[in-house]
Amino acid sequence: MNDPHDDAALPRNDSHEADPAPLDVWNASPDETTALEMNAVNDPDDEILTAYLDGELSEEELSRIEERLDRDPALSARLDKLRTAGKLLESLETIPLNERLTASTMEMLSAFVQREIKAERKKQTRRHLIALAIFAAVGALAFLIGSFAVGRLWPPHRAASEKDMPIVARLESLEIVGDYEFLTALNDAKLFAEENSARPVPDGGSTDKTSEKTPDKQSKKMPVPSALPPQSAPVRPPDQTEMFLLNMRFQRLTGAEKKKYRKLYRQIDLAPNRNELLTLLDLVGRWFWYDLHETERYAYWQTPSSERLAEIKRLRSESDRPANSDDGSAAPPIPGGKRGEGGPFAPADRRPSGFTRGGKESRRGGYPPRDLRPSLPTELRGERLDDIGDELFTFARKNYKDGFGDKKKEEILFEFISERGVDSFVNRLSDAGKTYLATMDEEQKIRLIGLLILVELHEKQFRMRVRDDDRSRDDLSGPNRAPNDRAPNNRMPNDRTPPPGRYAGPDTPNAGFYWKTESTRELAETLKKLPQAKRDELLSLPDEEMYSQLLILHWGFDPKQGTPPAGPSKGGDRLPPGNRGERWEKDVPRENPRENPRAEPSDQKRDNPRNEMPEPTDSWKRFLDEKKGSAQPSAVTSAPDPT
Amino acid sequence: MSESAVPLDTVELDPDVRLMREIKEGSALAFEELMARNQAKVHSLLAHFTGDRQMAEDLTQEVFLKVYKARETYEPSAKFSTWLYRIVHNLALNALRSRKRHPELLFGAAGKPSAAGQSGVFSMEETIAAKSALTPTRRLDKKESQAVVRAAIESLGDRQREALLLHRFEGMNYQQIADVMELTPQAVKSLLCRARLALRDILQPYIEEGRLSE
């Protein structure tokens, strides 16, 4: 049993003696009252009546006393007197607290902790000296023993503590929400009420106050709040690989960021509507990562905190908007984002336009496409690049008439911008747009022009299809052209090119084409699909390097190499923003985790080389070598052959 | 990362228990939060128990410092409030014992004002007012009623008073009070009974005369 105080415990005293003469309570000494109170004997009826008023009687005792009270007016009168006196206790007010008390207590505690830390450091220094002495005394064996001993002194680097596990599991959602006030405002706005209604409770946590009064009566078992939501939760909890990656992301946070998310999670955990908030958190995370277009996610991160609730409202209302169709009727939902048959313009088909949707049933199908224009900076939302699709089509026809091969779509897009020079696009904007971009450097202009082009292509439902194995069916469709509905593997391009933006990592400057839009689930997919040898090699690296290499493999871009060289360059040298190795066309449909995040990741198909991560392109290797300023091959070339 | 439900006692769900776990890990933020959740109640109870606001503040600080110092030994085998109020109990009784050894510093004991009255919860004026309320001239207003009730409570024995305050302010049941005061539930029942009877005896004249307002 805990005995935190060093004061002598007061003796128990259950003895009872006859009560002496009534006490003069105004004049008796404290010692007299103490002695008397411990030795007095009570009238049994008084004790029962007191226990009755305190609600401490068993059911049997209760019914007996109530029976007696009904029969015995004198007893009832005694009860009333006791009750009245007891009620007067209710008038006792709470004595207000001095506001400085908390602060002064924390100051005292800080001084105490400082003393503790100093004492602990002295102890550690002694331990270190002892360890060194052991090393010197027994040589190699002592080094092994000492290493083990020293290792025990330091906390593990990679693993989050058990108390942080719930935070790690929900890290992506916590990052979106940011603070408790925002989450409660989001809850009050009921923007996710439909998904949240009639959901199973994430866990059995309860802070029912009644259980505090009589814990011995609360014999029912409550499930422990686990680190992850149970299987019945609306969102699939992260699997082991995802937790591994989430943990690393968590470890890469600054101390202030960790503190922020711990505080946020604690506030949620202690809230009266804890379960509701946790469910909302999971739903927001799922919606953000799997229902939003990458452009929209990017736009969300750029939105000032004070406007994010409005941005979510806007995005939610966009997703609820019924899709149009050829015959004007609302489009039925498309379950699981499965690729439909036929082309997008076919009346019978209600495929989502432009990009796939994951998770819940897509509410949109057909066209017009979702409005991504608000994803642009305000100053560029009114800008147009007319005929950009035709120009891109012409460029692709000229440079890739034999097909795109392994060329990444985003590389092609940025080759397109580079070939013409970004200023040629800037000059086509209005004066306001030009003025806005005039203050930016080359790289920023490329990013924003690239984003504008993407939005334009999306709005015009630009389609480009290539088939490697059937050149007669090559079809670089121009804008607004109906696709060849009969073409097998008639696949809509993935125009989810990530627009550039900031990188959230603590050690990467806010520059370059990389930014945090991949979800941990996508990274986990990348990791799982690596060959075993490559995966083992990766996991043997220190955390920081491992994560960086994984990002390189995922995006095909090393953010630590910084920005690409300024100025126009010939196509292929400019490093494009990364993508996930998506192609415009695949001959083997590949399940996209975005379409169905509930699905467990498929096993790596070793017999299908297209499922392996691609080798970096020559242009990228050249770029990396240039940046390194050496003739040695880049680190990525040490990546093993994916086959 | 087990996702299966594991049966656990409701103690584990106590937010203060979870905070204590974090405090054990060294979290200052958790400690600050624990204080914010419990400080006011502890202070109020100590103020009524000791009858001395300054002493109550000092003791409140001591209580939480002891909580922090004892964090490594804390095990969530019981409700946190039980553990906390045991610390309160011991510190308060020690302080009172110490005060009794120096009677010239007493104030408010058995309703007697002294030169040290200014530091008390109840000012000399309030106590005099309470005393003057003995004269059956008029119905007492709320403030005066509170003063009479406070004086009545102060007149109780230390243990009776403590049991009564734990019951009134913390809503503890007999078992919980027994855990805090290291008594049996029957002893607590007896204490509370005597406390109520004593209060009844002191306050009944006022009630019968219709002077005390509930």
Side-chain angles (χ1 to χ4, degrees), chain A residues 293-409:
Chain A
H293 192 279
E294 284 178 345
T295 311
E296 290 164 324
R297 292 208 292 271
Y298 164 76
Y300 180 83
W301 292 122
Q302 310 309 312
T303 308
S305 306
S306 56
E307 296 170 27
R308 284 190 181 171
L309 186 61
E311 178 69 5
I312 292 178
K313 279 183 188 167
R314 183 189 70 77
L315 291 167
R316 291 291 287 174
S317 63
E318 290 269 320
S319 66
D320 286 346
R321 184 160 49 103
N324 294 329
S325 63
D326 287 341
D327 58 3
S329 61
I334 297 173
K338 190 177 173 182
R339 299 189 199 290
E341 301 297 324
F345 299 95
D349 184 28
R350 295 289 179 257
R351 292 168 60 179
S353 63
F355 53 90
T356 56
R357 303 289 218 106
K360 66 175 181 179
E361 294 177 9
S362 171
R363 299 189 184 198
R364 294 178 52 79
Y367 61 98
R370 183 149 145 181
D371 185 11
L372 296 184
R373 198 154 279 271
S375 305
L376 287 163
T378 311
E379 293 83 352
L380 295 182
R381 282 182 198 171
E383 300 295 336
R384 304 283 168 189
L385 290 173
D386 296 328
D387 301 324
I388 194 69
D390 280 338
E391 292 172 36
L392 181 60
F393 171 73
T394 306
F395 169 84
R397 270 286 194 205
K398 174 184 143 196
N399 295 285
Y400 296 96
K401 57 185 176 184
D402 294 329
F404 298 120
D406 282 340
K407 199 76 174 183
K408 296 176 188 175
K409 181 186 66 169

Side-chain angles (χ1 to χ4, degrees), chain B residues 65-84:
Chain B
L65 282 176
K66 274 210 183 293
V67 164
Y68 184 79
K69 286 179 189 174
R71 67 194 185 282
E72 295 298 335
T73 61
Y74 172 73
E75 295 294 335
S77 54
K79 271 174 60 65
F80 171 77
S81 59
T82 306
W83 187 74
L84 176 67

Side-chain angles (χ1 to χ4, degrees), chain A residues 4 200 269 334 336 375 383 411 444 455 528:
Chain A
D269 206 23
I334 297 173
S375 305
E383 300 295 336
E411 288 182 5
Q444 287 171 312
V455 172
K528 288 169 193 170

Side-chain angles (χ1 to χ4, degrees), chain A residues 173 176 192 195 199 234-236 280-292 358-360 521 597-598:
Chain A
S173 301
I176 298 162
F192 293 84
E195 293 104 312
R199 284 287 180 191
V235 176
R236 175 176 78 75
L280 175 63
L281 199 63
D282 294 337
L283 288 170
V284 168
R286 200 265 307 268
W287 167 78
F288 186 85
W289 288 110
Y290 299 106
D291 287 0
L292 287 189
K360 66 175 181 179
R521 196 159 290 179
R598 289 183 183 270

Side-chain angles (χ1 to χ4, degrees), chain A residues 1-14 16 19 25-28 30-31 33-34 36-38 40-43 46-48 50-51 53-54 56 61 81-82 84-98 101-102 104-106 108-109 112-113 116 161 163 165 204-207 211-216 218 220-231 237-240 243 259 263 266 269-270 274, chain B residues 1-3 5-8 10 13 15 18-19 22 25 27-33 35 37 39-40 43-44 47-48 53 57 60-61 64-66 68-71 73-75 77 79 83 86-87 89-91 93-94 97 100 109-112 121 131 146 149-151 153 155-160 164-165 167-169 171 173-174 176 179 182-184 186-187 189-194 196-197 199-200 202-204 207-208 212-214:
Chain A
M1 193 173 184
N2 294 318
D3 190 13
H5 50 89
D6 48 11
D7 306 308
L10 294 176
R12 289 170 180 258
N13 190 343
D14 293 335
H16 301 283
D19 199 297
V25 295
W26 293 104
N27 296 303
D31 288 335
T33 55
T34 302
L36 286 168
E37 75 183 344
M38 293 308 298
V41 174
N42 298 320
D43 182 327
D46 285 328
E47 283 201 3
I48 289 175
T50 304
L53 289 172
D54 293 339
E56 292 279 348
E61 287 171 326
K81 284 182 182 175
L82 282 173
T84 304
K87 272 191 181 171
L88 288 168
L89 284 176
E90 304 293 323
S91 67
L92 276 183
E93 74 282 21
T94 304
I95 307 297
L97 194 61
N98 186 335
L101 190 63
T102 306
S104 67
T105 306
M106 291 305 289
M108 285 173 67
L109 182 64
F112 172 77
V113 169
E116 266 196 337
S161 64
K163 69 175 171 67
M165 292 306 284
S206 167
T207 54
S211 69
E212 293 179 14
K213 279 190 179 281
T214 55
D216 51 327
Q218 295 290 328
K220 65 175 181 177
K221 300 295 183 186
M222 303 285 281
V224 65
S226 59
L228 306 173
Q231 289 293 347
D239 62 25
Q240 194 169 2
M243 279 299 291
K259 190 176 170 182
K263 183 182 175 185
R266 187 182 309 113
D269 206 23
L270 296 177
R274 171 185 187 270
Chain B
M1 280 181 266
S2 167
E3 296 176 22
V6 174
L8 256 196
T10 50
L13 302 173
R18 289 201 288 272
L19 285 170
E22 291 178 29
E25 298 282 332
S27 169
L29 204 62
F31 185 78
E32 204 171 350
E33 210 162 315
M35 273 187 59
R37 285 171 58 81
Q39 194 170 241
H43 173 262
S44 196
H48 282 296
R53 182 173 283 167
E57 284 187 5
T60 304
Q61 275 195 331
F64 285 98
L65 282 176
K66 274 210 183 293
Y68 184 79
K69 286 179 189 174
R71 67 194 185 282
T73 61
Y74 172 73
E75 295 294 335
S77 54
K79 271 174 60 65
W83 187 74
R86 283 198 58 215
I87 299 175
H89 162 82
N90 285 297
L91 283 175
L93 287 182
N94 285 344
R97 265 191 250 135
K100 284 168 190 174
K112 292 180 181 176
V121 174
K131 291 283 252 182
Q146 285 176 344
V149 173
R150 279 199 304 263
I153 287 173
S155 68
L156 299 175
D158 290 345
R159 295 198 149 216
Q160 288 179 13
L164 201 65
L165 291 172
H167 184 72
R168 154 72 180 92
F169 278 103
N173 60 28
Y174 290 178
Q176 288 167 322
D179 289 340
E182 294 182 283
L183 299 172
T184 62
Q186 179 57 39
K189 188 177 180 182
S190 295
L191 273 178
L192 281 172
C193 177
R194 286 196 289 278
R196 280 181 182 264
L197 290 172
L199 278 181
R200 179 200 64 185
I202 297 168
L203 298 174
Q204 194 57 35
I207 297 168
E208 281 174 353
L212 262 183
S213 51
E214 292 185 26

Side-chain angles (χ1 to χ4, degrees), chain A residues 22-23 37 173 183 190 210 233 296 298 473 532 562 608:
Chain A
L23 202 57
E37 75 183 344
S173 301
L183 182 62
K190 306 275 183 230
T210 60
E296 290 164 324
Y298 164 76
R473 300 181 75 110
Q532 186 66 44
N608 186 347

